[in-house]
Amino acid sequence: MQCPHCESMNTRHCKSKTVLGYRQFRCRSCNSQYNERTGTSYNKIHYPIEVITFTLYLYYRFRNSLDDVVELMTTRGVHISHQTVYNWVHTFGVEWAQKFRKIRHGMVGLKWHADATYIRVEGRWCYLYRAIDKEGNLVDVYLSDTRDQNAAENFFLQAETTTGITPDQITTDKEPALSPALDNVFGNCTKHRDSKYMNNRIESDHRVTKSRLRIIKGFKDIFSAVRFCTVFEEMRQHFRMKHKSRAEKRKLLAPKICEFNKIAALVA
């Protein structure tokens, strides 16, 4: 294993392991000792990576509050506090979302549906811009204090950067700010369908996000809201199995969970 301090490959494996059972190594070049988690965000946490991963999986994948997650982990013999779960959410959430975004880069369709919905932040209403493709796959999310042309332009620019794709067609509702924003960002490359009823696909998709946010009952600051919404949407997309039977979902679930664990373990 390469030394995280001097990047030398002249290392040896030690017989002893850490308290959590991780292998230890010693570098012959700089004489430093390290373990499998050295140099990662997990290194100073006194819980195995599997515990952290499963805790955040319960929080993001299901409609659980922090206290619900604490109770579920207690039934499995892991005693943590709600503040610990909160700290892990803020420490690892963004890095997970970035990994998921890199994996799905360039993997969305060319026909998008875009719209904004309301969420509660600091006791006031903010606007969560969301976009999905024709098959219902996530394009991107963007949280804004305002619902105007500038916010819409920022959202479309971010969506293009995230996906690496310029869409052929975008369907929106009758919001006046979206049409000039699309013209400024995509120009004549993208066809704009401005129809209230043709955008029911994303209106229905909003319900899953709103249902999850209802458990949280609002956010205390906009940074927490951005962090949660981004990670939640990315994880939801990773485990999405649309138009699959229950038997097919059971077959696909185990590989998706294995892939999720590998992604989580790679967080630096």
Side-chain angles (χ1 to χ4, degrees):
M1 183 176 178
Q2 185 179 14
C3 176
H5 304 288
C6 66
E7 300 182 351
S8 172
M9 295 299 296
N10 186 18
T11 61
R12 66 179 180 86
H13 178 235
C14 301
K15 293 183 179 180
S16 61
K17 294 185 177 181
T18 64
V19 177
L20 297 177
Y22 291 100
R23 295 179 300 168
Q24 295 191 99
F25 302 86
R26 181 172 292 279
C27 177
R28 293 188 176 94
S29 299
C30 64
N31 201 35
S32 60
Q33 185 169 323
Y34 59 95
N35 61 72
E36 294 177 90
R37 302 201 306 181
T38 300
T40 70
S41 302
Y42 296 111
N43 192 39
K44 295 183 179 180
I45 298 179
H46 302 292
Y47 288 92
I49 296 176
E50 293 78 10
V51 171
I52 302 170
T53 302
F54 186 63
T55 300
L56 299 191
Y57 172 79
L58 292 176
Y59 182 70
Y60 281 116
R61 276 293 293 152
F62 307 104
R63 291 190 293 175
N64 293 322
S65 65
L66 295 174
D67 291 329
D68 292 335
V69 174
V70 169
E71 184 174 345
L72 289 169
M73 294 303 293
T74 302
T75 62
R76 289 159 175 79
V78 179
H79 301 279
I80 55 179
S81 68
H82 72 282
Q83 186 62 47
T84 299
V85 180
Y86 180 83
N87 292 340
W88 289 352
V89 166
H90 284 258
T91 302
F92 303 107
V94 175
E95 296 181 62
W96 283 12
Q98 291 174 349
K99 293 287 186 182
F100 285 124
R101 281 189 171 187
K102 288 181 180 179
I103 292 173
R104 67 180 186 86
H105 184 79
M107 298 178 63
V108 299
L110 296 176
K111 294 183 178 181
W112 298 357
H113 293 261
D115 190 30
T117 187
Y118 300 89
I119 68 171
R120 198 78 172 173
V121 180
E122 297 178 306
R124 56 189 172 83
W125 291 109
C126 290
Y127 307 95
L128 181 66
Y129 285 86
R130 301 180 66 250
I132 59 175
D133 67 7
K134 186 179 180 180
E135 300 300 325
N137 296 309
L138 174 68
V139 174
D140 205 0
V141 293
Y142 177 81
L143 186 62
S144 174
D145 289 317
T146 59
R147 189 173 187 175
D148 53 16
Q149 181 178 338
N150 186 47
E153 288 182 9
N154 291 336
F155 168 60
F156 290 127
L157 286 170
Q158 178 181 294
E160 187 177 29
T161 303
T162 299
T163 60
I165 289 176
T166 300
D168 292 339
Q169 175 182 287
I170 296 182
T171 304
T172 65
D173 56 12
K174 292 291 184 178
E175 184 178 347
L178 293 179
S179 182
L182 283 170
D183 292 337
N184 291 342
V185 175
F186 299 113
N188 297 326
C189 299
T190 302
K191 177 184 176 183
H192 180 208
R193 290 198 310 176
D194 190 7
S195 172
K196 180 178 180 181
Y197 301 104
M198 289 182 179
N199 215 28
N200 287 339
R201 185 184 302 274
I202 192 168
E203 293 287 353
S204 299
D205 196 72
H206 283 331
R207 291 183 296 180
V208 179
T209 302
K210 299 279 281 187
S211 176
R212 178 62 184 91
L213 295 178
R214 195 175 298 117
I215 306 299
I216 299 177
K217 299 178 181 179
F219 298 93
K220 292 184 178 180
D221 63 82
I222 196 166
F223 299 105
S224 296
V226 171
R227 185 183 297 110
F228 178 86
C229 292
T230 303
V231 182
F232 170 75
E233 294 286 357
E234 294 292 342
M235 283 193 61
R236 179 190 168 198
Q237 172 61 30
H238 176 75
F239 287 98
R240 185 176 181 273
M241 290 179 279
K242 193 72 172 178
H243 306 306
K244 301 290 185 182
S245 66
R246 291 186 175 180
E248 291 173 328
K249 288 181 179 179
R250 286 196 298 270
K251 291 180 181 179
L252 293 173
L253 184 59
K256 282 185 174 291
I257 291 178
C258 289
E259 184 181 358
F260 166 74
N261 290 332
K262 290 179 181 179
I263 294 171
L266 290 174
V267 171

